[in-house]
Amino acid sequence: MVSFILDLMKNRKMIWTLAIKDVQTKYLGSVLGIVWAFVQPTISILIYWFVFQIGFKSTPVGDIPFVLWLLTGLVPWFFISESISSASNSIIENSYLVKKIVFRVSTLPIIKIISSLSIHVFFIVVLFVFFICYGYALDLYVLQVIYYLIASVILVLGISWITSTLVVFLKDVAQLIGMGLNFFFWLTPIFWNMSIVSDKYIFLFKLNPFFYIIEGYRQTFIYKEWFWEHPFLTAYYWIITLVILSVGVWLFKKLRPHFADVL
């Protein structure tokens, strides 16, 4: 693992260049170009806001306007779902690179995650702007975004190494990933408040590692709580994340020699 991290640092310029190229290529040929990367999530946010705020007349959560509460859940989820979806197909989409011995194939999911991360950073800035416009001053808690950003990247990376490896051998896995993300989308408290859940079932929702990230953003922007104030949940998250990451590294290394034969 240490050698892998050092190798990433050594090739960081190449990874960053390929990540930028990935974003540009994704929207190549369209009239608006890369602007679509920002337009699509924005439209989704507006649709969700209209349906729940106007249609269902959702009330403020505590004393927090519903739109702010909703944004702090949607913004990190968009990054998680987009990263996993795109990174899972990164190897089969770049099969020509797999056959090049000098190319480190394990960086392909990372490139997809970084390209998604660049869009995510923009929407984090949008979050800051929304909170300022609603009269909420920025404080030291916003620095915690960096922590949750790193936490989500490591989790997504571990998942992506597993899924991108499996997709090479089992194409049906790509469909299962889409179904799984849809399942976790509603299982994670993005649109609904945990206060409606019975105390005896709350621990079940906390088993979902995405719960930690979504609630982490809300603790940062809304509830003003540090992550170390939830030691057991934080410990559980990192144990699960490191296990997923280790499985991803092991599975990738074990099956990497067979990629070229299948592709």
Side-chain angles (χ1 to χ4, degrees):
M1 180 63 72
V2 175
S3 61
F4 177 73
I5 294 174
L6 292 175
D7 190 59
L8 289 180
M9 293 300 296
K10 180 181 178 182
N11 297 287
R12 62 186 182 278
K13 289 185 178 179
M14 180 200 69
I15 294 173
W16 179 249
T17 300
L18 290 175
I20 295 175
K21 184 179 179 181
D22 178 74
V23 175
Q24 295 173 337
T25 304
K26 189 180 297 183
Y27 302 97
L28 185 67
S30 60
V31 176
L32 294 180
I34 196 173
V35 175
W36 280 115
F38 306 97
V39 170
Q40 291 173 340
T42 301
I43 292 176
S44 297
I45 289 173
L46 290 175
I47 291 173
Y48 287 132
W49 172 80
F50 180 83
V51 169
F52 287 90
Q53 181 79 54
I54 308 299
F56 291 116
K57 301 186 184 301
S58 299
T59 57
V61 180
D63 58 350
I64 301 296
F66 180 76
V67 65
L68 297 182
W69 191 85
L70 177 63
L71 278 173
T72 51
L74 279 177
V75 167
W77 177 259
F78 282 155
F79 167 66
I80 290 170
S81 60
E82 173 61 23
S83 295
I84 294 176
S85 297
S86 59
S88 296
N89 295 309
S90 60
I91 296 177
I92 59 175
E93 286 179 0
N94 298 277
S95 57
Y96 66 97
L97 291 174
V98 175
K99 299 173 184 179
K100 293 185 177 182
I101 300 175
V102 296
F103 187 82
R104 194 165 191 124
V105 180
S106 57
T107 60
L108 289 174
I110 298 174
I111 291 167
K112 291 289 187 178
I113 292 171
I114 291 176
S115 66
S116 298
L117 184 61
S118 62
I119 309 300
H120 181 55
V121 170
F122 167 80
F123 281 99
I124 288 178
V125 174
V126 171
L127 265 181
F128 289 149
V129 172
F130 263 82
F131 273 84
I132 292 173
C133 290
Y134 272 83
Y136 292 88
L138 301 181
D139 50 31
L140 284 176
Y141 286 97
V142 299
L143 296 176
Q144 196 168 227
V145 168
I146 299 173
Y147 164 76
Y148 285 109
L149 202 54
I150 294 172
S152 58
V153 166
I154 294 174
L155 173 63
V156 166
L157 179 58
I159 294 173
S160 298
W161 270 332
I162 295 173
T163 55
S164 62
T165 299
L166 294 178
V167 166
V168 173
F169 300 93
L170 300 168
K171 300 299 186 292
D172 291 341
V173 171
Q175 306 302 322
L176 294 175
I177 292 168
M179 294 172 58
L181 287 172
N182 190 44
F183 174 76
F184 278 104
F185 176 75
W186 294 108
L187 187 65
T188 307
I190 297 172
F191 289 104
W192 47 274
N193 197 331
M194 286 296 293
S195 61
I196 66 174
V197 180
S198 173
D199 291 341
K200 62 182 179 180
Y201 296 121
I202 286 180
F203 81 96
L204 292 175
F205 289 94
K206 290 183 177 180
L207 294 178
N208 170 11
F210 301 135
F211 170 92
Y212 183 76
I213 301 299
I214 302 301
E215 285 299 294
Y217 270 67
R218 287 185 173 138
Q219 288 163 9
T220 298
F221 286 94
I222 297 175
Y223 304 127
K224 307 301 180 182
E225 297 174 358
W226 296 106
F227 68 88
W228 57 75
E229 294 180 47
H230 306 275
F232 294 108
L233 189 60
T234 297
Y236 168 77
Y237 174 82
W238 282 109
I239 290 172
I240 291 296
T241 297
L242 293 177
V243 167
I244 292 174
L245 186 64
S246 299
V247 171
V249 171
W250 173 81
L251 188 65
F252 186 90
K253 285 184 176 181
K254 185 175 181 61
L255 298 180
R256 166 66 181 92
H258 306 290
F259 285 175
D261 297 332
V262 178
L263 295 173

